[in-house]
């Protein structure tokens, strides 16, 4: 199962192009679908070839274009039955009146109509035609039949048409179609993860990024944390079927797909929201945030003016978020992180016990090639004694891969816990 939901891996789309002026948009559609990570094979009807050449689609899709049903040479390559099996989705765009009629009637007199009958994959049609033809009773009757047969109809857009009319019948833009297709596969993938994923049914809360402790209305104390590790973990937990809440300090990262994000600034705010999450019901708490250890005792109401050679700011200790949550009666499975510059393993193992964590992942931030601002990380994971699990070495890899391995470690620990006597 993939952990990066931004790209759908290895899904096959058969794009069928039929005769209509909107066929020119299908060329761009192939590009967009390929950009989104899909494998694309194009089928063209005779009518489509009057508007655009197979060569265009061959170049864009990187695959031979299928045009003939009864051509022995073409059938020797990938025949219509193989093509029907290859498809994870048959997308007909644009779908002409004629094609809709053929599908509704169950004809099988060319490659596309045969493919339609031969495939088990979902079939989507994006009708595009003159507005009068769209409104015609026969077209609407055929569309109703197709919907009853389980075909998904993508409604045409309204607007000015190539023929000069204004009305319903324009094929949606390629970007819009690609978004709809991508969402469909995301949803399908999500449904599987929610049922069978490693963290199915769990609510995971992740803290990430730095905190910002105000000195006055314009200045603050903070650190260099980028939040990358926490964001990767949130994405990996979501992909493993969990419901994920990401409590993020100020970072400039996009929210991972499907993850609920709550932005905070200070450590006190981060603790506040974390406690609220416990009330909501949290099964796993992952603390990747680089929380400022201290905050300014008295935040100045107005901007502090320059005066004298020295300025003293008095600091007080911030709450330890992960340790506070770990002390609660109904505590989740607690995962902490430790970034150390020396005695890495010893300090990490100490923190595991001191903060009453279930698992701790530590890394050596004195290494210039991993850690804070880097896209890669290497970690050692320790588990609390009751799990009777060996420490795990996670070798240098991308933060996404490390995140995936950490999800596996959490899953394994949850299944290994010895019931307390
Ligand atoms: O004590 P230290 O800061 O090294 O511990 C790191 C771990 O504790 C991390 O998991 C971090 O997110 C968490 N932490 C916290 N609240 C603090 C300080 C650290 O949750 N105030």
């Amino acid at each position: 199962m993939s952990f990066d939901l931004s790209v759908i891996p290895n899904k096959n789309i058969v794009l069928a192009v039929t005769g209509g002026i909107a066929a020119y948009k299908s060329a761009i559609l192939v590009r967009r679908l390929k950009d989104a990570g899909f494998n694309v094979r194009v089928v063209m009807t005779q009518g489509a070839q009057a508007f655009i050449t197979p060569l265009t689609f061959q170049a864009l899709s990187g695959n031979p274009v299928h045009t003939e049903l009864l051509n022995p040479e073409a059938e020797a390559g990938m025949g219509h039955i193989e093509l029907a099996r290859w498809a994870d989705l048959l997308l007909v765009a644009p779908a002409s009146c004629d094609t809709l009629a053929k599908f509704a009637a169950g004809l099988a007199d060319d490659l596309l109509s045969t493919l339609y009958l031969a495939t088990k994959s979902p079939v989507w049609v994006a009708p595009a035609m003159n507005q009068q033809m769209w409104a015609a009773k026969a077209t609407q009757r055929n569309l109703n039949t197709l919907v009853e047969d389980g075909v998904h109809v993508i409604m045409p857009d309204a607007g000015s048409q190539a023929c000069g009319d204004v009305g319903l019948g324009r094929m949606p833009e390629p970007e819009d179609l690609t978004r709809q297709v991508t969402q469909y596969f995301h949803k399908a993938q999500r449904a599987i993860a929610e049922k069978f994923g490693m963290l199915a049914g769990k609510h995971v809360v992740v803290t990430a990024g730095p905190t910002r402790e105000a000195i006055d209305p314009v200045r603050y104390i903070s650190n260099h944390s980028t939040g990358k590790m926490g964001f990767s973990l949130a994405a990996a937990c979501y992909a493993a079927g969990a419901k994920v809440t990401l409590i993020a300090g100020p970072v400039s990262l996009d929210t991972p797909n499907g993850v609920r994000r709550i932005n905070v600034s200070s450590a006190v705010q981060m603790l506040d929201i974390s406690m609220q999450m416990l009330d909501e019901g949290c099964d796993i708490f992952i603390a990747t945030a680089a929380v400022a250890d201290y905050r300014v005792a008295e935040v100045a109401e107005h901007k502090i003016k320059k005066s004298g050679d020295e300025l003293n700011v008095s600091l007080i200790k911030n709450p330890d978020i992960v340790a506070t949550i770990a002390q609660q009666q109904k505590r989740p499975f607690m995962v902490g992180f430790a970034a150390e510059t020396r005695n890495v393993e010893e300090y990490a193992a100490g923190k595991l016990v001191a903060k009453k964590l279930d698992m701790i992942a530590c890394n050596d931030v004195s290494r210039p090639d991993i850690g804070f601002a880097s896209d890669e990380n290497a970690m050692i994971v320790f588990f609390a004694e009751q799990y009777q699990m060996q420490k795990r070495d996670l070798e240098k890899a991308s933060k996404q891969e490390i995140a995936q391995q950490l999800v596996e470690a959490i899953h394994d620990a949850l299944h290994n816990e010895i019931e307390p006597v």
Side-chain angles (χ1 to χ4, degrees):
M1 188 176 304
S2 160
F3 285 83
D4 181 3
L5 288 182
S6 60
V7 173
I8 309 279
N10 294 326
K11 289 291 175 197
N12 301 333
I13 296 185
V14 171
L15 173 66
V17 184
T18 73
I21 184 56
Y24 81 93
K25 286 190 186 174
S26 307
I28 304 165
L29 179 57
V30 174
R31 269 306 266 273
R32 297 291 167 263
L33 290 171
K34 297 268 296 177
D35 289 346
F38 295 106
N39 307 315
V40 182
R41 282 182 174 269
V42 177
V43 169
M44 294 180 81
T45 60
Q46 282 246 297
Q49 293 169 63
F51 289 91
I52 187 164
T53 68
L55 195 60
T56 305
F57 287 110
Q58 183 180 313
L60 290 170
S61 68
N63 284 314
V65 171
H66 307 262
T67 55
E68 308 278 333
L69 176 61
L70 302 174
N71 177 339
E73 222 173 276
E75 285 286 296
M78 188 184 260
H80 66 281
I81 297 294
E82 256 178 296
L83 198 57
R85 288 192 187 130
W86 181 84
D88 291 309
L89 176 71
L90 171 59
L91 171 62
V92 188
S96 65
C97 269
D98 183 55
T99 299
L100 297 176
K102 273 188 179 166
F103 283 4
L107 297 186
D109 62 353
D110 66 1
L111 177 60
L112 176 56
S113 51
T114 313
L115 198 58
Y116 169 71
L117 293 173
T119 191
K120 274 207 244 169
S121 81
V123 179
W124 288 22
V125 293
M129 59 197 68
N130 163 273
Q131 50 95 21
Q132 205 63 54
M133 292 170 79
W134 165 259
K137 282 192 177 145
T139 307
Q140 291 302 316
R141 189 168 58 238
N142 289 334
L143 282 165
N144 281 336
T145 304
L146 291 184
V147 170
E148 271 173 32
D149 291 348
V151 173
H152 174 61
V153 177
I154 302 167
M155 282 298 284
D157 288 342
S160 61
Q161 303 197 303
C163 51
D165 278 9
V166 176
L168 268 179
R170 287 164 56 92
M171 187 168 104
E173 294 308 312
E175 291 71 20
D176 188 17
L177 288 175
T178 304
R179 189 181 43 77
Q180 290 190 40
V181 170
T182 307
Q183 270 175 3
Y184 164 76
F185 281 106
H186 276 162
K187 272 197 191 151
Q189 199 166 340
R190 177 71 190 153
I192 294 170
E194 274 181 1
K195 209 163 169 197
F196 305 108
M198 272 192 268
L199 300 183
K202 306 280 185 208
H203 179 201
V204 180
V205 175
V206 182
T207 67
T211 63
R212 227 176 236 184
E213 310 299 333
I215 299 171
D216 67 17
V218 294
R219 304 181 180 96
Y220 57 80
I221 299 171
S222 191
N223 59 63
H224 289 299
S225 166
T226 59
K228 276 183 195 160
M229 194 62 237
F231 275 59
S232 295
L233 257 162
C237 290
Y238 177 76
K243 171 183 152 195
V244 183
T245 306
L246 177 60
I247 307 175
V251 293
S252 54
L253 292 175
D254 292 335
T255 309
N257 181 34
V259 167
R260 172 174 65 155
R261 173 177 182 170
I262 302 174
N263 288 328
V264 294
S265 183
S266 67
V268 169
Q269 284 173 349
M270 192 174 267
L271 176 61
D272 245 27
I273 302 288
S274 301
M275 292 299 278
Q276 280 178 34
M277 289 304 112
L278 281 200
D279 292 340
E280 252 189 39
C282 161
D283 303 293
I284 300 164
F285 189 93
I286 307 179
T288 69
V291 184
D293 289 327
Y294 293 90
R295 69 177 181 278
V296 176
E298 272 179 52
V299 181
E301 196 183 334
H302 297 287
K303 187 179 170 190
I304 300 169
K305 288 293 183 193
K306 248 181 291 195
S307 71
D309 287 341
E310 276 185 30
L311 173 70
N312 289 313
V313 178
S314 151
L315 302 177
I316 53 170
K317 203 153 198 214
N318 259 333
D320 189 312
I321 298 167
V322 80
T324 308
I325 303 287
Q327 275 162 19
Q328 305 303 307
Q329 227 190 0
K330 241 185 93 195
R331 54 170 261 154
F333 181 88
M334 299 297 302
V335 183
F337 280 73
E340 304 290 349
T341 53
R342 62 196 169 101
N343 301 339
V344 180
E345 297 199 19
E346 189 189 325
Y347 285 152
K351 272 178 202 169
L352 178 73
V353 176
K355 298 190 188 219
K356 297 196 165 60
L357 305 177
D358 295 286
M359 178 176 138
I360 194 161
C362 60
N363 62 349
D364 182 348
V365 284
S366 69
R367 279 176 61 175
D369 57 329
I370 55 169
F372 266 161
S374 164
D375 287 332
E376 294 196 307
N377 213 342
M379 306 201 107
I380 304 171
V381 181
F382 294 95
F383 302 89
E385 225 175 300
Q386 71 264 31
Y387 298 98
Q388 300 192 338
M389 281 170 70
Q390 297 283 326
K391 71 169 186 174
R392 282 189 191 179
D393 275 307
L394 313 184
E395 282 174 13
K396 188 174 146 183
S398 71
K399 284 187 174 169
Q400 280 97 325
E401 281 166 285
I402 294 283
Q404 194 172 326
Q405 292 184 57
L406 287 171
V407 165
E408 278 163 28
I410 292 169
H411 165 264
D412 293 351
L414 284 172
H415 285 80
N416 218 37
E417 189 173 12
I418 310 298
E419 289 295 325
V421 273

